[in-house]
Amino acid sequence: MRNMEKFGLMSLPIFIILYLAFTIQVYVTLADNYVPTEKILLSCGGLPVTTDTDGRKWTTNVGSKYLSASGNSKTSKAAAQDPFVPKVPYLNARVFYSNFTYSIPIVAGRKFVRLYFNLASYAGLNPFDGVFSVTVGSYTLLKNFSAAQTAKAMNFAFLVKEYSINVDGATLNISFAPSTKAPKAYAFVNGIEIVSMPDIYSSTDGTLMIVGQKSPFYIGNSTALEKFYRLNVGGYPISPSHDTGLYKRWEDDLSYIYGVALGVSYSGYPNMMIQYPPSMPTYVAPLDVYSSARSMEPYPQINVNYNLTWVFLVDSRFSYLVRLHFCEIRSIITKINQVVFDIFLYNQTAESQADVIAWAGVELGAARQNGVSLYKDYVVIIPNGSPQQDMWLELHPNTVEKPTHYDVILNGVEIFKVNDSNGNLAGLNPISDVTNPIRARPSSSDGKIKSRKAIIIGGVSCGIVFVLVIGFLLIAASHRWHGKDSSARVVSLGWHQELERGFTKNLCRHFSFAEINTATKNFDEALLLGVGGFGKVYKGEIDGGATKVAMKCGNPQSDQGVHEFQIEIEMLSKLRHHHLVSLIGYCEENCKMILVYDYMSHGTLREHLYKTQKPPLP
Ligand SMILES: *[C@@H]1O[C@H](CO)[C@@H](O)[C@H](O)[C@H]1NC(C)=O
Ligand SMILES: *[C@@H]1O[C@H](CO)[C@@H](O)[C@H](O)[C@H]1NC(C)=O
Ligand SMILES: *[C@@H]1O[C@H](CO)[C@@H](O)[C@H](O)[C@H]1NC(C)=O
Ligand SMILES: *[C@@H]1O[C@H](CO)[C@@H](O)[C@H](O)[C@H]1NC(C)=O
Ligand SMILES: *[C@@H]1O[C@H](CO)[C@@H](O)[C@H](O)[C@H]1NC(C)=O
Ligand SMILES: *[C@@H]1O[C@H](CO)[C@@H](O)[C@H](O)[C@H]1NC(C)=O
């Protein structure tokens, strides 16, 4: 256990910074990027500027060879340009008043098709009249799609839709069709990206299994996929140009985690050289995905009592390909049966006794135990129900095998919707539901920049100074921690006092224990949200019910307190991370350290983040 505590500490940012230079060097020599034969970036509205914020060059399609002669369309600039929306390719759009096809000559094979939409008003049209479908060959990608309604429901400024489609012929036809149901309907698109790709998601050998059933599932040339989620678990977002030549965009996972049981995240782990097995092409996922991970905290009694959980909103009546990426990056985990866990998807067992070291052994023999990148695929069928449902991904330590540590690990997740028997991938437009904000979670979009920035700016006053204080404490704490192991407990008293000194009372709100007691109705178990590594989490109300809060009750005199504090430091040090912004105050009395957060009614941080000040659409 002592070792486990140590490597918990190693995840502190100071160590990440120290080792970053080294790890980057190692990585560059290992991963080969895919070199796509086709790499087409069409700025459909035509723009004078052609390089996007990621350094990629877009071609403007005004007078371009891809435009088919038929169809009534024109280019237009967005009526209002949100300062947080990148100009390329989002500033201008092509608006289609009737059916319109882009015919793009290509080499037959599988392609990533990415469609970019900026949810603005174009050519004086009402954004809510923009209702249309998009088809590629026999596949329907979007149907009765309202970008404005999607934007409103999700509070997103722009959307990227990504598909993987196999094209037989020498032309890829993308057709836009305004809805025939609405008289004033039109279609639009800001950007189209086509990137040829290797068959990295296909499975035709009968090994891909449907979760909860004993039958295999086949993903072959006739299957089209839509990316719903792609997360670098425990790590940072990865921009398209930092992917493996396939321009995949990876998000961080924090906003999908259920509750405040965040576990521990590791990134850029020192001296861990990551190796791709010979059977696995290096372009499947970048090293950044495998070099960061999330696991549970080093408390077996607590870990057996909860699942490390991510929640994903998906459309009902479709099958989903779920790809989980694994790589054991903790240097002390090198043997089979040290960490064994169960994986649940949609509340069914997808894998019992997952052992990343054992899987690595199968791939590489005894040559290597940790640092081996791996992935596992599962198919989840979401039955009929409400139009959208939550798919839970849950990891739980397996106790049956009596592993050394009751822990779990995950490095990355990709979730794809599989086309239905009619070749359809389109779902219904999301409906914003103010009473139930979790329903407003996005499927495959990343236009959240604005919301995130707005909130960070809002939180900065409380946050920045706190980070500075924490930075000082971090150095103090790491100095002490580096003494003898037995001195660890001293830190727990130490930080409490230093916090007292450094944490000026008016930076964040200070709550009295009496206030906390009232808010939680004397720590009523009915208000218990969950139990994490730090202790219990209660929900409650402050200011006479005006503000809903979640309270983490740590005990600074236990190891939990110290460890939790470190995690808090880690979170805060990554400025973009959301704990910074949702922490509204604290209480330290009766030997308790209670952190008070803005409460998100359904537990994930995401909807909290996206409940923004974005101006309503005209
Ligand atoms: C799938 O499509 C590719 C490219 O179009 C082709 O080379 C391959 O033979 C096809 N596979 C099967 C099983 O039809
Ligand atoms: C099309 O979308 C609109 C807005 O979401 C919805 O009201 C309507 O019922 C949909 N029509 C069909 C045929 O799905
Ligand atoms: C693509 O569209 C063009 C023009 O609309 C048409 O001539 C061609 O047959 C289409 N190709 C495919 C593969 O659908
Ligand atoms: C973990 O998730 C599974 C599947 O949903 C569930 O059966 C189990 O009770 C959960 N365990 C805990 C401790 O919450
Ligand atoms: C899965 O389990 C969670 C927690 O018990 C529950 O809230 C959720 O509704 C379940 N989902 C399904 C599809 O049964
Ligand atoms: C996906 O669509 C294709 C083309 O319409 C079809 O042949 C295939 O069976 C569909 N896949 C599934 C899983 O229904």
Side-chain angles (χ1 to χ4, degrees), residues 304-307 344 346-348 394 396:
V304 292
N305 286 318
Y306 84 107
N307 289 334
F344 304 98
Y346 197 60
N347 300 19
Q348 302 170 88
E394 295 169 275
H396 187 257

Side-chain angles (χ1 to χ4, degrees), residues 246-323:
L246 292 164
Y247 301 105
K248 303 187 293 298
R249 185 188 300 269
W250 300 75
E251 280 184 81
D252 67 314
D253 68 321
L254 214 46
S255 29
Y256 299 92
I257 295 175
Y258 182 78
V260 272
L262 300 170
V264 188
S265 61
Y266 303 91
S267 56
Y269 201 69
N271 298 338
M272 182 58 69
M273 197 163 100
I274 290 167
Q275 188 173 347
Y276 290 74
S279 58
M280 176 180 161
T282 54
Y283 44 71
V284 163
L287 278 156
D288 287 344
V289 169
Y290 294 110
S291 65
S292 61
R294 190 176 297 282
S295 71
M296 288 178 159
E297 291 165 59
Y299 308 112
Q301 284 75 21
I302 291 163
N303 293 353
V304 292
N305 286 318
Y306 84 107
N307 289 334
L308 188 56
T309 304
W310 293 259
V311 183
F312 301 103
L313 191 67
V314 293
D315 292 332
S316 297
R317 296 200 292 166
F318 281 95
S319 305
Y320 292 84
L321 169 66
V322 178
R323 172 166 292 185

